[in-house]
Amino acid sequence: MVIPAITDVTMAALCPGRDECSVAIYLTGFQQAIIGLGTLVMMPLVGNLSDKYGRKALLGLPMGLAIIPLATLAYSRTRSFFYAYYVLRTLTAMVCEGSVHCLALAYVADRVPEGRRASAFGILSGIGSSAFVCGTLSTRFLSTASTFQVAASVAIVALVYMRVFLQDSIVDGNISTPILSNGKSKVDVIGNSSKNVQIFKTMPSLEDMLCLLKSSVTLSQAAVVAFFINFSEVGLHASLMYYLKARFHFNKNQFADLMVISGIAGTISQSLLMPMLAPALGEGRLLSIGLFFTCTHMRTIVSKQVGTSEQGKAQGCISGIGSFANVVSPLVFSPLTDDSHDSEYHDEGGSSHFK
């Protein structure tokens, strides 16, 4: 809901009354890079901990933290509150960015047999796209203040619903051997300190991630694909809205119109086409077609490369690699976007200087 409105809020706080703002472009790019660094570490950790303590226990953390920045702008959108939102959003997004999606995919992989995961992942993505359409469409008819207030309220409802109705997919709560432990079991130690030791042992290291990627050629190839597709998507998303704002004077309603169109296309492709084509074409060919049209991803292939108790670790690893692309992409696209603003501004023959 807040995506179409956040550009207007950022511009109003940093460059009031203007449609061009280099500060907003670079500040947004810097924020995305910091978030990418945080999620690069947190995604594998969250996925690994969910294998041990359950998906539901880990889902509560990102869903709860996501409410805080929304509530900040729901209260006020002045410059001071915007800076507070900026800091809170940066810190919380290190845990929240992609965590819910990662854990949802692991949850589905726990519940659905391997042969039906492609269709199930497609339906899950289609539901997400449908929610995206509903959210952006509602933004079209709400004021900026109401948009953030409704978004914060919906986030609270989602958290309560998850805590009350969602059943955890991991039945065995006694799993204590970390993934990639080379078969070595943990020694149970009586006392509170044992829990802390187990948590630290569960934290995946860089060596653990490399071992996981080396365990399957397909998984390694999926990681490469995840990096480059995230690199292009994040760079385009971070820059496009500011470009449209500067070049065509878009506002939140026009941003919402564009996102509704893309969301409807995503809903159709992932809810209808992907479940029908996956059994016939296979995940490999479907991934090639999806990359060509940028409408699907490789998560089904990833889920088949690991066992049931490793779904969170695998999905978190791929999400972490995608997050590394989030670090690099703004560093490349932010200067390019700012340069395009300047060049187009001067290419108008100087007439804009006298308007």
Side-chain angles (χ1 to χ4, degrees):
M1 289 186 65
V2 302
I3 295 176
I6 195 61
T7 302
D8 286 345
V9 173
T10 303
M11 295 290 289
L14 300 178
C15 301
R18 295 174 53 190
D19 286 335
E20 296 183 14
C21 186
S22 298
V23 176
I25 295 173
Y26 284 104
L27 203 59
T28 302
F30 175 76
Q31 181 188 51
Q32 192 62 53
I34 296 299
I35 292 173
L37 283 173
T39 53
L40 175 62
V41 177
M42 294 304 300
M43 286 301 98
L45 174 60
V46 169
N48 200 21
L49 289 176
S50 73
D51 288 334
K52 177 177 176 59
Y53 297 102
R55 317 299 182 203
K56 182 175 181 178
L58 270 295
L59 267 173
L61 180 61
M63 294 181 69
L65 291 177
I67 299 171
I68 300 174
L70 294 175
T72 302
L73 287 186
Y75 182 78
S76 178
R77 286 149 306 284
T78 61
R79 176 173 292 189
S80 299
F81 278 89
F82 170 78
Y83 283 127
Y85 162 82
Y86 182 87
V87 174
L88 291 171
R89 162 69 179 163
T90 303
L91 295 176
T92 58
M94 292 180 182
V95 179
C96 303
E97 191 87 5
S99 294
V100 175
H101 184 63
C102 169
L103 294 174
L105 290 171
Y107 187 93
V108 171
D110 294 337
R111 294 285 187 174
V112 178
E114 184 176 299
R116 297 170 53 192
R117 285 179 191 167
S119 299
F121 282 8
I123 294 173
L124 178 65
S125 299
I127 293 173
S129 297
S130 300
F132 181 84
V133 171
C134 294
T136 52
L137 187 62
S138 61
T139 303
R140 184 68 175 79
F141 302 102
L142 294 173
S143 65
T144 301
S146 299
T147 297
F148 286 96
Q149 292 167 0
V150 173
S153 301
V154 171
I156 294 173
V157 171
L159 176 60
V160 173
Y161 179 88
M162 185 275 296
R163 295 301 303 174
V164 174
F165 295 103
L166 185 68
Q167 295 182 353
D168 210 334
S169 59
I170 294 183
V171 179
D172 185 7
N174 296 320
I175 299 176
S176 58
T177 303
I179 306 165
L180 302 177
S181 61
N182 298 324
K184 296 179 181 179
S185 60
K186 290 184 177 179
V187 178
D188 295 330
V189 181
I190 302 175
N192 294 331
S193 61
S194 64
K195 295 182 179 179
N196 296 329
V197 172
Q198 289 181 2
I199 291 175
F200 283 112
K201 286 184 178 181
T202 307
M203 291 183 180
S205 64
L206 179 60
E207 184 181 356
D208 291 335
M209 294 179 63
L210 292 176
C211 289
L212 178 63
L213 293 175
K214 290 179 181 179
S215 66
S216 170
V217 176
T218 303
L219 193 60
S220 301
Q221 293 172 342
V224 174
V225 173
F227 174 83
F228 285 107
I229 196 66
N230 276 275
F231 180 87
S232 60
E233 287 182 349
V234 171
L236 178 63
H237 175 74
S239 304
L240 180 61
M241 298 179 74
Y242 290 107
Y243 175 81
L244 294 175
K245 181 76 173 178
R247 191 71 177 88
F248 302 107
H249 312 289
F250 270 34
N251 56 31
K252 77 172 183 66
N253 293 336
Q254 292 163 316
F255 287 136
D257 291 339
L258 289 179
M259 292 179 182
V260 166
I261 294 172
S262 64
I264 292 175
T267 301
I268 294 174
S269 66
Q270 296 176 34
S271 298
L272 300 179
L273 297 181
M274 185 176 172
M276 290 189 298
L277 295 177
L281 299 179
E283 288 84 358
R285 293 179 181 176
L286 187 62
L287 175 60
S288 300
I289 297 173
L291 290 173
F292 181 76
F293 290 103
T294 319
C295 65
T296 189
H297 48 68
M298 75 297 297
R299 296 308 184 104
T300 309
I301 298 176
V302 171
S303 73
K304 291 185 177 181
Q305 306 306 309
V306 296
T308 303
S309 62
E310 300 177 335
Q311 290 297 323
K313 180 68 174 288
Q315 298 294 345
C317 181
I318 296 299
S319 296
I321 292 172
S323 298
F324 180 65
N326 295 1
V327 179
V328 180
S329 184
L331 302 179
V332 176
F333 281 89
S334 294
L336 293 176
T337 306
D338 189 38
D339 289 342
S340 68
H341 289 170
D342 294 338
S343 62
E344 290 181 1
Y345 183 71
H346 293 296
D347 287 344
E348 291 178 355
S351 60
S352 59
H353 294 280
F354 299 96
K355 289 183 182 178

